[in-house]
Amino acid sequence: QVQLQQWGAGLLKPSETLSLTCGVYGGSFSAYYWNWIRQPPGKGLEWIGEINHTGTTNYNPSLKSRVSISVDTSKNQFSLKLSSVTAADTAVYYCATYGSGSSLDYWGQGTLVTVSS
Amino acid sequence: AIRMTQSPSSFSASTGDRVTITCRASQGISNYLAWYQQKPGKAPKLLIDAASTLQSGVPSRFSGSGSGTDFTLTINYLQSEDFAAYYCQQYYSYPRTFGQGTKVEIK
C-alpha cells in the first residue's frame, strides 16, 4: 500500500519559486510515474506533470517553461518547483501516483499554496 | 491537448435517485478514462479506471461505461455519502486532462 506525504512552503510572494516535496512510503518507488496536480480554490483539477525513477519527465505544456520535477531515489522522494509564481498559481497542490491500473490511485494530502504580496 | 467536457456542471438530487454524469472527449481516447470523486477539503478518490473497471472497495452502485469520445458515470440509488464533485480524466495522451467537474448536491 503506497502512502504519499507532502510538504513545502504555503505562502509565497509574486515572482518567487514554489517548492514542494512528496515522500513515498510503501510500494516500489521504481514501479511508477510520480505526478503533481493542482486545484485552484473552488475550481477543477489541472495536471502539472510526472516523473519516473530514472528522471524521465512529462510536463503540461501550459506550465512547462516554469516547471521542474525531480526525483531523489535514495530518499524515495520527488519534488516540484514552479518558478515566477503569480496569484494565478494559488492552489492546492497534490502529489499522486498510479495503482494497478493507469489512473491516479494514491494521493497526498494536498498543500495549499497561496501567492500574495 | 484533449479537451474533456462534463455535463452537467452541477445538479441537485435526492437520496435514492439514479444519476448519470457524462464526459465527452474532444477526440477518441479508446477506454483510457478514469472517474474520481472529491469531497470538500479532501484529495480526489479514484472510482473507476479504464472507463468501466470499478476500483476495489468502491460500492457497486457506481458504474462507468463508454469508449471513444463519450462516457458516462452512473450512480444507482444515490446515498448521502455520494454528494460530492466528480471528475473524469483521460490518460490516452499527454498532457493528462480533466473534465471541469460535476457537483452533485442535495435537493
Side-chain angles (χ1 to χ4, degrees):
Chain A
Q1 182 77 357
V2 176
Q3 293 188 352
L4 304 177
Q5 181 76 26
Q6 56 184 103
W7 62 90
L11 181 61
L12 297 173
K13 290 181 166 48
S15 80
E16 292 185 333
T17 295
L18 179 155
S19 182
L20 297 173
T21 298
C22 186
V24 179
Y25 306 94
S28 172
F29 192 73
S30 63
Y32 307 114
Y33 270 85
W34 307 95
N35 288 251
W36 288 99
I37 296 98
R38 71 179 183 177
Q39 184 172 38
K43 297 187 178 180
L45 300 161
E46 180 181 29
W47 181 80
I48 298 171
E50 64 180 11
I51 190 168
N52 71 1
H53 71 287
T54 68
T56 301
T57 55
N58 293 294
Y59 293 132
N60 192 325
S62 67
L63 297 168
K64 190 173 183 178
S65 63
R66 297 193 293 131
V67 169
S68 176
I69 299 176
S70 59
V71 65
D72 186 338
T73 54
S74 68
K75 296 181 179 179
N76 278 15
Q77 295 174 359
F78 62 107
S79 299
L80 169 70
K81 290 190 185 301
L82 180 67
S83 64
S84 304
V85 298
T86 69
D89 295 310
T90 293
V92 176
Y93 287 75
Y94 294 100
C95 56
T97 193
Y98 305 105
S100 57
S102 301
S103 303
L104 298 168
D105 205 2
Y106 301 104
W107 294 70
Q109 78 276 21
T111 300
L112 174 61
V113 177
T114 302
V115 181
S116 174
S117 55
Chain B
I2 297 175
R3 181 175 178 84
M4 307 300 293
T5 303
Q6 288 182 233
S7 60
S9 295
S10 66
F11 66 96
S12 299
S14 301
T15 54
D17 285 351
R18 180 174 185 262
V19 302
T20 299
I21 299 168
T22 65
C23 178
R24 174 164 289 176
S26 60
Q27 65 185 75
I29 59 171
S30 184
N31 68 334
Y32 292 88
L33 184 103
W35 287 100
Y36 300 88
Q37 177 192 66
Q38 187 180 32
K39 296 182 178 179
K42 300 294 186 181
K45 173 188 175 183
L46 178 63
L47 299 177
I48 289 172
D49 183 33
S52 61
T53 301
L54 200 66
Q55 295 302 287
S56 175
V58 175
S60 59
R61 62 181 180 273
F62 290 90
S63 64
S65 65
S67 184
T69 60
D70 294 314
F71 302 86
T72 60
L73 172 69
T74 300
I75 312 172
N76 287 302
Y77 204 74
L78 197 68
Q79 299 293 291
S80 58
E81 60 266 32
D82 302 334
F83 292 97
Y86 294 86
Y87 294 90
C88 61
Q89 181 229 336
Q90 65 81 20
Y91 50 92
Y92 179 81
S93 69
Y94 292 104
R96 308 312 197 201
T97 47
F98 292 87
Q100 81 278 14
T102 296
K103 190 173 183 180
V104 180
E105 298 173 311
I106 301 173
K107 183 180 288 183

